[in-house]
Amino acid sequence: MPATSPEIQSFPMTGTSLLAKPSSFPEEEEESKSTVSLLKSKSSSVLSATGRSSSTVVVLSILLLTTCASLIAAFAFAFLFFSSSTSSSSSAVKNRSAFRSVTTLPHPVVLLISSDGFRFGYQYKTDTPNIHRLINNGTEAAPGLIPVFPTLTFPNHYSIVTGLYPPYHGIINNYFVDPVDGDTFSMSSHEPKWWLGEPMWETVVNHGLQAATFFWPGSEVKKGAWDCAPEYCQMYNESVSFDQRVDTILSYFDHPEDSSKLPSFLTLYFEDPDEEGHKVGPDDVMITEAVANIDRLIGRIIDGLEERNVFQDVHVILVGDHGMVGTCDKKLITLSDLSPWIEIPNSWIQSTTPVLSIRPITPSPDPADVVFKMNKALESGKIDNGAHLKMYLKEDLPKRLHYADSYRIPPIVGILDEGYTVEKLKSTGRECGGAHGYDNRFFSMRTVFFGHGPRFQRGLKIPSFENVEIYNLIADILGIQGAPNNGSSQFAERALLPK
Ligand SMILES: [Zn+2]
């Protein structure tokens, strides 16, 4: 969508950065500072003592020699420490890049990997040595990465690659109807008209660089200079094995010295552990197995990059799009129960759980009246679980949700409490499962951000941030100017090591 889109022009550049100045590693930095002050105090003693006696000179000479030996040992230790790829989490310094004078790549490269529904904390479900290699030697958002609202797959994946909140990139739900032309968006809609903003693969090719996508929502859409050429862009096909996806991505690094063939930006997508999460909720052994498999795949990527001698030079970013929470029948709200107060025809309902979206159809009552009557019913104490759903006119939603400023968003939106579901009619019993899409303030909706590579400080934890910051971060690593977006301009500077 061109920059002339009124939606893009009108979006507020108010990306909130929750990021505090990254703290680096107290032990090591404090230790080196105290060493310096010790040396200084020794030096001043030396100066004041000069000329007093020859025995003092001998003592001073010994002190100086000891100091030099200590310095040499310290530098040798530091060199060994930072050249090791398996060093512990306490091994960061702010200018680590100074230790990396040799690069095997002709230009910066970012490999952005998404593990769908990887809730923050899943990395501790079982042994995840490969994911922890990224964490311990890289930078992690703790506690977790904050998704955008609604915490659904398509809105979030597209926010990650555009830096825009859903009203501004246009993908306001996984499924919705355009109220103007009546067309329906679904997860297989590839017409450019739906996909506003400028995704990173388009930004990259606009700068004369190459991008490669092995699945990502929106990547098949031909927009601007991005033509989704077959050698660089895979059409979504869930039957392609995860291993095959990894091996294809690795093949781009077969000739890393050839800058014309090596993409600057690559995406890789895994459906897991979201699939299992929906079936069984976040606490089942199936999730543990899926997480172990994602870890195995990360290991395959690391091994493949190491075999090609480029692992230390590639910026590997592993993220998820949202978390997952358990849902059960006892946490169900049924819209037909509201009928003594108001009838909600099926034709008004665009989505139910966890984002209840209602667009009254002509001849329609006033949306404010619908909201009033629904809330009156829900607050009456006579609706099962009614207290766990609250209806809003979209303009009255909490501002922090950034979910109003698009004609595509229906005028009435219901916000559910964590783990609750809403249905049109009472259904018969079901097994418990899992869902996401809820308010992004819930920790259960949080996902992960792990960054590893030359610009990521080793072992650094940065406070949780919203995923709209990632676009600017990648643009900074690649050294290109990103399109206008909702991320904050200072984020990359704070989260990354200097160039
Ligand atoms: Zn998802």
Side-chain angles (χ1 to χ4, degrees):
M1 197 71 178
T4 50
S5 158
E7 290 184 317
I8 296 299
Q9 284 183 337
S10 63
F11 75 72
M13 302 289 287
T14 54
T16 49
S17 172
L18 304 176
L19 185 71
K21 186 90 178 159
S23 58
S24 56
F25 302 161
E27 302 88 0
E28 185 153 314
E29 288 221 334
E30 288 310 310
E31 207 174 275
S32 58
K33 271 181 202 156
S34 61
T35 309
V36 170
S37 59
L38 191 65
L39 290 175
K40 276 183 181 166
S41 78
K42 279 179 184 171
S43 302
S44 51
S45 309
V46 168
L47 288 172
S48 63
T50 307
R52 281 188 193 168
S53 72
S54 58
S55 63
T56 311
V57 171
V58 171
V59 170
L60 289 176
S61 302
I62 292 168
L63 271 174
L64 271 172
L65 282 171
T66 310
T67 304
C68 289
S70 305
L71 277 172
I72 290 164
F75 279 118
F77 175 73
F79 176 78
L80 287 172
F81 206 67
F82 291 113
S83 58
S84 160
S85 63
T86 54
S87 50
S88 73
S89 64
S90 64
S91 62
V93 291
K94 282 184 178 172
N95 61 345
R96 183 173 68 90
S97 54
F99 290 86
R100 301 178 43 76
S101 54
V102 178
T103 177
T104 53
L105 298 178
H107 53 69
V109 174
V110 172
L111 168 55
L112 178 65
I113 307 166
S114 166
S115 172
D116 201 311
F118 198 109
R119 171 173 160 167
F120 178 76
Y122 278 5
Q123 67 269 35
Y124 306 114
K125 279 207 171 273
T126 183
D127 281 342
T128 52
N130 299 299
I131 290 173
H132 273 84
R133 194 164 160 195
L134 300 184
I135 295 172
N136 294 338
N137 295 295
T139 295
E140 176 188 15
L145 177 69
I146 304 169
V148 296
F149 179 82
T151 51
L152 296 167
T153 299
F154 268 52
N156 273 280
H157 274 96
Y158 207 50
S159 284
I160 291 168
V161 294
T162 58
L164 296 168
Y165 292 115
Y168 312 114
H169 67 46
I171 310 303
I172 55 121
N173 204 322
N174 286 340
Y175 172 93
F176 59 91
V177 177
D178 186 311
V180 174
D181 58 20
D183 287 355
T184 299
F185 173 85
S186 72
M187 290 186 277
S188 56
S189 297
H190 296 153
E191 300 88 352
K193 69 170 185 172
W194 298 110
W195 305 82
L196 313 181
E198 185 180 290
M200 183 51 72
W201 44 81
E202 188 183 349
T203 306
V204 165
V205 294
N206 280 345
H207 284 78
L209 304 173
Q210 190 57 59
T213 55
F214 209 121
F215 304 161
W216 199 277
S219 61
E220 301 106 317
V221 179
K222 295 177 181 174
K223 242 168 67 68
W226 176 252
D227 60 358
C228 190
E231 65 270 35
Y232 289 111
C233 172
Q234 303 287 327
M235 301 301 285
Y236 183 63
N237 176 359
E238 65 180 329
S239 66
V240 178
S241 75
F242 291 174
D243 288 72
Q244 193 179 333
R245 300 177 199 189
V246 168
D247 293 348
T248 303
I249 285 295
L250 288 172
S251 70
Y252 288 109
F253 295 91
D254 283 346
H255 303 287
E257 70 289 346
D258 186 349
S259 64
S260 66
K261 288 187 180 155
L262 178 66
S264 296
F265 175 64
L266 306 96
T267 71
L268 176 58
Y269 170 77
F270 303 123
E271 288 86 349
D272 291 354
D274 182 74
E275 285 209 356
E276 294 78 6
H278 282 290
K279 288 177 194 156
V280 293
D283 297 318
D284 192 274
V285 68
M286 274 177 76
I287 297 292
T288 310
E289 289 165 2
V291 168
N293 190 43
I294 293 295
D295 186 71
R296 181 189 66 79
L297 292 158
I298 297 300
R300 191 179 179 95
I301 292 165
I302 293 173
D303 291 348
L305 293 175
E306 283 196 319
E307 282 165 18
R308 292 162 177 82
N309 200 28
V310 296
F311 174 55
Q312 294 299 331
D313 282 343
V314 175
H315 295 88
V316 178
I317 301 176
L318 173 60
V319 295
D321 51 347
H322 51 72
M324 185 68 66
V325 70
T327 54
C328 280
D329 282 350
K330 63 179 182 178
K331 290 187 173 179
L332 177 66
I333 297 146
T334 308
L335 288 179
S336 59
D337 288 352
L338 276 63
S339 57
W341 289 266
I342 183 170
E343 288 279 356
I344 309 291
N346 281 347
S347 58
W348 292 9
I349 301 170
Q350 298 228 339
S351 63
T352 52
T353 295
V355 186
L356 178 58
S357 304
I358 295 176
R359 185 187 299 283
I361 293 176
T362 314
S364 63
D366 178 7
D369 189 51
V370 174
V371 168
F372 176 79
K373 286 177 176 164
M374 289 185 75
N375 279 335
K376 200 169 176 193
L378 293 165
E379 292 161 7
S380 68
K382 295 174 182 169
I383 307 289
D384 286 346
N385 296 312
H388 299 286
L389 170 64
K390 186 167 167 54
M391 304 306 301
Y392 293 87
L393 288 171
K394 65 178 176 183
E395 57 269 29
D396 295 334
L397 284 167
K399 295 291 174 241
R400 63 184 170 77
L401 295 177
H402 304 279
Y403 200 63
D405 197 12
S406 167
Y407 73 98
R408 292 177 180 175
I409 299 172
I412 300 169
V413 177
I415 301 290
L416 282 162
D417 280 348
E418 191 174 25
Y420 284 82
T421 56
V422 62
E423 291 189 351
K424 296 171 191 170
L425 298 168
K426 254 195 178 49
S427 57
T428 51
R430 291 172 311 169
E431 296 288 313
C432 294
H436 55 86
Y438 298 94
D439 192 330
N440 61 354
R441 75 188 161 91
F442 297 136
F443 265 52
S444 58
M445 294 298 106
R446 282 207 187 170
T447 180
V448 293
F449 174 95
F450 310 129
H452 182 284
R455 296 285 305 284
F456 289 110
Q457 187 170 320
R458 293 181 193 226
L460 180 66
K461 310 290 181 208
I462 52 178
S464 297
F465 57 87
E466 292 184 306
N467 67 16
V468 294
E469 303 286 7
I470 295 174
Y471 176 86
N472 283 341
L473 189 87
I474 295 173
D476 194 273
I477 293 171
L478 299 181
I480 58 178
Q481 179 65 47
N485 64 84
N486 295 123
S488 59
S489 56
Q490 309 82 22
F491 180 78
E493 190 185 329
R494 290 174 179 170
L496 295 173
L497 290 165
K499 286 176 197 167

